[in-house]
Amino acid sequence: MSILFFLISLFLSGCSPQKEVFKREEMVLGTFGEITCFGEKDSCKKGIDKAFREIKNLEEILSFFKAESDISFLNNAQGKPVGVKKETLEVLKKAKEISQKTQGAFEVTVAPLLAIWGFYQKEKESFSPPSGELIKETLALVGQDKIILAEDTGSVILKNPSMKIDLGGLAKGYIVDRAVAVLKKEEIKNALVNLGGDIFCLSEGRTAKVWKIGIQDPQAKEKLIATLKVRNKAIATSGQYENFREFKGKKLGHIIDPRTGYPVENDVLSVTVVASDCLTADALATAIFVLGKEQGSALLKTFSAEAVIISKSPKGKRLWISGGLKNKVSY
Ligand code: ADP
Ligand code: MG
């Protein structure tokens, strides 16, 4: 989801004049990517170059849409074991753990459900919802018990030949973390990596910056509903307002409830999660969206995370802010 950001603490006095801000924007992972970096010109440029290279390399491995990705090999393997890169195994292991901790609300095996609900179709107009019977049949392909991760051999089995996985709910977050690791290796202390609203705010060292992130109004995209001060943390937002199918005036969003097989329909408009890594923020935002405010917010402690949940109310909308964010949010 698009989130705006801007920096609030600009140069501190005593900063060397060669220290500047560098920013590059590129379309990556089918979304808008940007890296902003504070520091020496050469190390920032080198860091940004390397980070974008890392992002593109990981996209080749983890994308549902790239024919040569590990995910495509797995999805076409017809139940046979597939040797995968260590990154794929790492993300699938995390996905399993998050699925377990969210009572199955987060589930990368939802891909066949996304398919029957038309989310892999380019033509939005020709959409009509699947039958109840098809949804029931497709639900049989969903669940972590059907994925075998063999860490010793570095291979993965999708037990049912018709199963498919889609890492769309957490891959961007993982890739943001990896891009940040590249910047850190280049000894960059202050930077912001944003992949379509999955963000990490790097703020380290003596001149650590505080970043101010805007949370979009889910009902009026051009407006910000709140701003959040973030330092050395990840932030990710899930909502149904950007990617949806419309049927008979009803908006059906791209987050599917793996327990029912239907696109999530509750009173949540958007979930913004702040966590220490972006994979967790990304996956947890999706999971809380599925579970709703009550059940979802109860999960935050398990992940040492904080959240802003915007939901519908009779008066319009309501903003719920978790305890640890109370003095960091303005609205
Ligand atoms: P975005 O990628 O638009 O920022 P999310 O992080 O919430 O939004 O991810 C939504 C994507 O996650 C969907 O497009 C789909 O690929 C995948 N997905 C949908 N429902 C689930 C679910 N219940 N668990 C895990 N992934 C899901
Ligand atoms: Mg997500």
Side-chain angles (χ1 to χ4, degrees):
M1 303 290 120
S2 358
I3 289 192
L4 300 173
F5 73 92
F6 26 87
L7 191 75
I8 49 169
S9 85
L10 281 169
F11 295 97
L12 299 175
S13 55
C15 257
S16 109
Q18 293 100 322
K19 287 210 172 183
E20 289 173 70
V21 57
F22 298 91
K23 181 169 166 175
R24 215 166 93 198
E25 302 171 348
E26 268 191 51
M27 286 305 288
V28 278
L29 298 133
T31 190
F32 172 76
E34 64 185 325
I35 300 178
T36 305
C37 178
F38 268 82
E40 316 286 350
K41 184 176 175 187
D42 288 347
S43 65
C44 276
K45 289 209 156 158
K46 196 165 144 214
I48 292 176
D49 268 352
K50 284 190 173 178
F52 269 114
R53 222 173 303 142
E54 177 85 341
I55 291 167
K56 288 173 194 162
N57 287 340
L58 289 167
E59 181 179 10
E60 294 298 324
I61 299 172
L62 301 172
S63 167
F64 181 88
F65 302 100
K66 303 261 176 188
E68 300 280 300
S69 73
D70 273 0
I71 299 309
S72 292
F73 289 141
L74 265 170
N75 287 342
N76 294 320
Q78 300 288 317
K80 293 196 194 73
V82 175
V84 296
K85 304 222 164 37
K86 65 175 195 316
E87 288 83 358
T88 308
L89 213 52
E90 189 185 346
V91 176
L92 286 174
K93 235 174 101 180
K94 275 282 184 186
K96 203 178 253 297
E97 180 193 323
I98 293 167
S99 176
Q100 277 151 3
K101 289 183 176 163
T102 61
Q103 295 93 45
F106 187 84
E107 188 44 76
V108 292
T109 56
V110 289
L113 290 167
L114 287 160
I116 62 169
W117 283 99
F119 286 103
Y120 299 124
Q121 248 168 265
K122 288 216 170 74
E123 292 299 321
K124 286 197 177 185
E125 299 76 35
S126 62
F127 169 76
S128 66
S131 68
E133 204 174 321
L134 181 59
I135 294 170
K136 218 171 129 194
E137 268 170 40
T138 310
L139 271 174
L141 306 173
V142 176
Q144 286 298 313
D145 55 319
K146 298 166 198 76
I147 304 185
I148 301 171
L149 303 179
E151 282 188 73
D152 47 344
T153 57
S155 61
V156 179
I157 300 172
L158 302 185
K159 283 205 225 165
N160 187 312
S162 306
M163 275 175 77
K164 290 195 190 317
I165 51 178
D166 183 339
L167 303 180
L170 82 171
K172 264 191 287 164
Y174 172 74
I175 296 175
V176 166
D177 291 335
R178 291 280 300 248
V180 170
V182 167
L183 296 176
K184 279 183 168 179
K185 217 168 154 196
E186 294 301 315
E187 301 196 355
I188 288 160
K189 306 276 184 220
N190 290 289
L192 185 141
V193 177
N194 173 15
L195 293 181
D198 282 11
I199 296 170
F200 193 93
C201 302
L202 180 65
S203 338
E204 286 186 341
R206 261 188 319 116
T207 57
K209 314 275 178 213
V210 176
W211 299 84
K212 198 166 170 184
I213 308 293
I215 301 177
Q216 237 175 27
D217 182 337
Q219 291 169 323
K221 282 200 319 198
E222 63 294 344
K223 277 200 257 164
L224 292 184
I225 199 164
T227 53
L228 196 55
K229 283 183 199 161
V230 186
R231 193 173 152 158
N232 235 6
K233 290 237 181 295
I235 175 164
T237 299
S238 275
Q240 299 280 54
Y241 51 95
E242 284 202 337
N243 187 355
F244 54 82
R245 292 276 172 276
E246 226 155 351
F247 184 68
K248 293 189 177 159
K250 202 164 152 186
K251 284 183 177 173
L252 303 165
H254 68 148
I255 300 175
I256 306 274
D257 188 333
R259 303 163 301 180
T260 63
Y262 285 76
V264 173
E265 252 192 285
N266 55 25
D267 57 1
V268 179
L269 293 168
S270 79
V271 180
T272 299
V273 171
V274 178
S276 53
D277 66 90
C278 202
L279 179 148
T280 300
D282 190 6
L284 195 53
T286 308
I288 294 176
F289 198 91
V290 172
L291 291 169
K293 200 201 118 238
E294 297 306 321
Q295 259 188 295
S297 56
L299 274 180
L300 291 168
K301 273 210 179 78
T302 314
F303 292 90
S304 306
E306 303 288 339
V308 176
I309 302 176
I310 303 169
S311 41
K312 284 180 215 151
S313 82
K315 284 192 217 127
K317 53 190 164 275
R318 231 163 61 90
L319 207 73
W320 178 87
I321 302 163
S322 66
L325 285 184
K326 289 257 155 76
N327 57 357
K328 296 196 171 76
V329 180
S330 329
Y331 56 94

